[in-house]
Amino acid sequence: MNAGFHARFQEARALRRGGRLEEAVAAYDAALALHPASLEARFNRANTLQALGRHADAVAAYEALLQARPEDAEAWNNRAVSLAALGRQAQSLASCEEALALRPGYPEALHNRGNALAALGRLDEALESLDAALQRRPELAAALASRARVLERVGRNADALADYEAALRLRPGDAGILCDQSHALQVLGRHAEALAVLAEAPDAAPVLTNRGNALQALGRHGEALACYQRALAASPGDVQVEWNMALAYLALGDYERGWPLYEARWRSALHPAPRTSEQPQWTGEGELAGRRVLLHAEQGFGDAIQFVRFARPLAARGAEVIVACAPPLRRLFERADGVARVVVPGHEPLPAFDLHAPLMSLPLALGTTLQSLPPAPYLHADPARREAWRARLAGGRRRIGLVWAGNPEFPAARLKACPPALLRALVQAPGCRFVSLQTGEARAGVSELGAGVLDAAGELADFADTADLVAALDLVIGIDTAAAHLAGALGKPAWILLPFAADWRWLVGRADSPWYPSVRLYRQAAPGDWPGVIARVCADLAQGDADG
């Protein structure tokens, strides 16, 4: 080893310690030019590339090193980290296994193995691996934070918070762990606590984003936007920041700024990729007369029901509108205004079309404002089926449908859900006939409503069946779910029960909805205040009975 190599190697190490990572890589390159066989220099160079976020280069560097030193467990483990950062989770897992075969019980490799398993959806195995890492090294704060994230995913929220707190005792002020803890509190609806957690965190982009999310959930949208704008200045083009800004603007009714930012969803790893096609996407340009336009549903059933209204203005411009949707929506959308044909992708081939568009990109393409929303009703029931339900439900002056839970697979479902036992007070209203529209696992809650409530879910094969029943009712009372959107789209009266941090589509501080003129909104006065909401609904229901 020559003196020149040693000098450049020591220089590279000093630059790395000083945080001058790009210069450190250059110094390692200079050292290796003098002594290419130095495995220590090659290893340190690979680690520096990883610290820079140049993960593809880091993987290549680790792999070159491992050809010369295949028994290097640390290189296998570090290679796994960069592979995971590149989204190559199966390869990351295999790299961890190589490290563990060489060094059984290696805590860092067990930790990274747990992360790879979690990314692959193998959550029970992930917890086992993270538990094993922490048994061997209880002070491994990163493993505690990783286990907390997995515990959140399996619904063990109290355990997750305990792990975050333990991680922060080991690593006080760690911005990443604080952000994760704040997010966990927000998922539980504890937004004021989530905001307090971030009070001492540095103003990095992730912290500002989480702070904005907590402020938005507390109804402080102006302050939230200020946080997002600072986060975007620190991290230009950050898709999550743009998405959160879109939700804030849309909640405030600022559609001019909200709809363009809402397109950021297509760049998010959490959102399915947009449908690809040889035909162009319609973005508001060009004539539609005589052209066949394919609209594809996205996100949840309620979103599709809300946005299928935009088929009508396209048809009014002369387009032949085809809607691609999930099977439960097919028959319902065949009755939608402006829709010429409905197809179910994967069940049948798509017909030829000239243009396409995601349903939720149409407001941007059409320049939609609160004043120009296509009005409801735009969906329709089958008249014969509606009348059959009316005859069956005769005997009460008011026929009322109830819904208390949405799709549990959606992250906000728990906060939107209202305990069915609280609805028991509603069904005491005299002169009313109550029908449960609740489907899924939450249907079991009908037993908590008391006697006399008809459980209709077994007769509702799809949303067309639900529409026929809803059309026969006088009122739907329920949370923000597909059934509420369906009632509004049919033009039926609906009283929608909203959490304190209501979804953007219900705007801020309003008891009405420009999307659905037949809807009345009941908002929590404080997070979790379902009893207060139900008390107001009961009072209005009694007043309605008194008014005849």
Side-chain angles (χ1 to χ4, degrees):
M1 186 181 300
N2 58 49
F5 165 79
H6 182 74
R8 297 313 303 267
F9 180 70
Q10 293 304 322
E11 178 192 4
R13 294 180 67 184
L15 288 165
R16 170 72 193 272
R17 286 194 299 270
R20 296 161 63 182
L21 302 183
E22 291 286 5
E23 294 172 77
V25 171
Y28 279 125
D29 287 340
L32 285 165
L34 296 169
H35 183 32
S38 173
L39 298 184
E40 185 178 6
R42 288 162 70 179
F43 180 67
N44 288 352
R45 177 181 179 274
N47 290 345
T48 307
L49 289 167
Q50 185 176 87
L52 277 166
R54 292 169 55 183
H55 293 290
D57 293 335
V59 168
Y62 288 125
E63 289 174 351
L65 171 64
L66 286 164
Q67 287 180 355
R69 193 165 68 191
E71 72 282 3
D72 190 332
E74 193 170 355
W76 283 110
N77 176 64
N78 291 4
R79 173 178 177 266
V81 173
S82 282
L83 286 167
L86 293 168
R88 295 157 61 181
Q89 303 298 344
Q91 291 170 277
S92 176
L93 177 59
S95 200
C96 290
E97 302 289 11
E98 293 283 357
L100 289 163
L102 291 162
R103 191 189 300 178
Y106 182 4
E108 286 79 6
L110 286 166
H111 170 215
N112 292 323
R113 180 178 181 272
N115 286 341
L117 288 164
L120 292 167
R122 295 160 61 180
L123 301 184
D124 290 341
E125 295 172 81
L127 286 174
E128 289 177 10
S129 194
L130 292 166
D131 286 343
L134 289 162
Q135 285 169 4
R136 287 161 177 80
R137 188 167 295 170
E139 73 280 7
L140 192 55
L144 280 164
S146 293
R147 187 171 68 178
R149 288 189 287 272
V150 179
L151 289 168
E152 280 189 77
R153 290 176 64 182
V154 299
R156 293 170 55 186
N157 296 298
D159 292 337
L161 286 173
D163 269 1
Y164 284 132
E165 289 165 4
L168 286 166
R169 285 194 293 272
L170 293 164
R171 204 181 283 175
D174 184 288
I177 300 173
L178 286 168
C179 282
D180 287 340
Q181 183 187 29
S182 174
H183 176 265
L185 288 164
Q186 289 181 61
V187 169
L188 292 169
R190 295 160 59 179
H191 303 294
E193 293 174 71
L195 187 60
V197 158
L198 299 173
E200 302 302 321
D203 282 350
V207 173
L208 289 163
T209 301
N210 272 275
R211 193 175 290 153
N213 294 347
L215 287 164
Q216 187 165 339
L218 290 166
R220 296 158 62 180
H221 297 282
E223 293 173 78
L225 279 167
C227 282
Y228 295 145
Q229 286 159 354
R230 290 170 61 199
L232 202 59
S235 180
D238 187 307
V239 61
Q240 196 58 51
V241 179
E242 290 184 8
W243 170 252
N244 293 337
M245 289 181 73
L247 301 185
Y249 281 127
L250 293 172
L252 292 169
D254 187 345
Y255 285 1
E256 184 177 1
R257 283 187 279 193
W259 293 129
L261 287 167
Y262 197 71
E263 293 299 293
R265 69 193 186 279
W266 300 119
R267 303 186 348 254
S268 169
L270 300 177
H271 194 283
R275 183 182 300 277
T276 57
S277 172
E278 294 180 1
Q279 289 74 23
Q281 179 176 331
W282 187 70
T283 57
E285 303 286 331
E287 291 293 324
L288 292 178
R291 309 191 80 182
R292 184 177 283 179
V293 183
L294 176 71
L295 304 180
H296 29 99
E298 51 170 307
Q299 301 186 43
F301 291 135
D303 300 281
I305 290 169
Q306 180 182 7
F307 282 79
V308 77
R309 71 179 68 218
F310 290 99
R312 186 164 58 195
L314 269 60
R317 296 187 183 199
E320 179 186 348
V321 178
I322 303 164
V323 175
C325 65
L329 293 168
R330 178 175 192 151
R331 290 198 306 128
L332 176 69
F333 285 178
E334 287 174 343
R335 307 172 186 171
D337 290 347
V339 174
R341 181 176 173 184
V342 179
V343 294
V344 177
H347 291 241
E348 60 193 301
L350 293 177
F353 57 92
D354 303 302
L355 300 163
H356 73 99
L359 277 178
M360 299 178 78
S361 292
L362 290 175
L364 175 61
L366 291 163
T368 303
T369 66
L370 286 177
Q371 293 71 39
S372 64
L373 287 168
Y378 50 88
L379 296 178
H380 308 281
D382 177 86
R385 291 273 295 161
R386 179 193 63 210
E387 293 308 314
W389 274 111
R390 280 183 177 169
R392 183 173 168 186
L393 297 173
R397 285 192 298 164
R398 303 183 78 184
R399 295 164 292 226
I400 301 175
L402 297 174
V403 184
W404 54 88
N407 185 343
E409 295 182 8
F410 283 85
R414 191 191 63 81
L415 295 180
K416 289 183 179 182
C418 177
L422 292 178
L423 300 180
R424 192 181 182 98
L426 294 179
V427 303
Q428 309 303 317
C432 297
R433 181 75 189 276
F434 288 91
V435 180
S436 170
L437 306 175
Q438 185 64 55
T439 58
E441 294 180 6
R443 179 186 175 190
V446 73
S447 63
E448 301 180 51
L449 301 180
V453 177
L454 174 65
D455 180 4
E459 302 178 58
L460 307 177
D462 62 10
F463 281 102
D465 285 343
T466 307
D468 297 336
L469 171 52
V470 168
L473 300 174
D474 299 297
L475 174 66
V476 171
I477 300 176
I479 66 156
D480 173 11
T481 189
H485 286 282
L486 180 57
L490 292 165
K492 297 296 296 187
W495 295 358
I496 302 180
L497 319 179
L498 296 177
F500 183 78
D503 194 76
W504 63 265
R505 70 202 71 221
W506 306 117
L507 302 169
V508 175
R510 294 181 66 145
D512 67 332
S513 170
W515 291 85
Y516 303 116
S518 63
V519 155
R520 185 188 301 179
L521 305 177
Y522 291 80
R523 301 174 183 270
Q524 289 180 354
D529 182 27
W530 285 124
V533 169
I534 298 302
R536 297 200 306 275
V537 171
C538 286
D540 287 352
L541 192 59
Q543 183 64 41
D545 286 333
D547 290 343

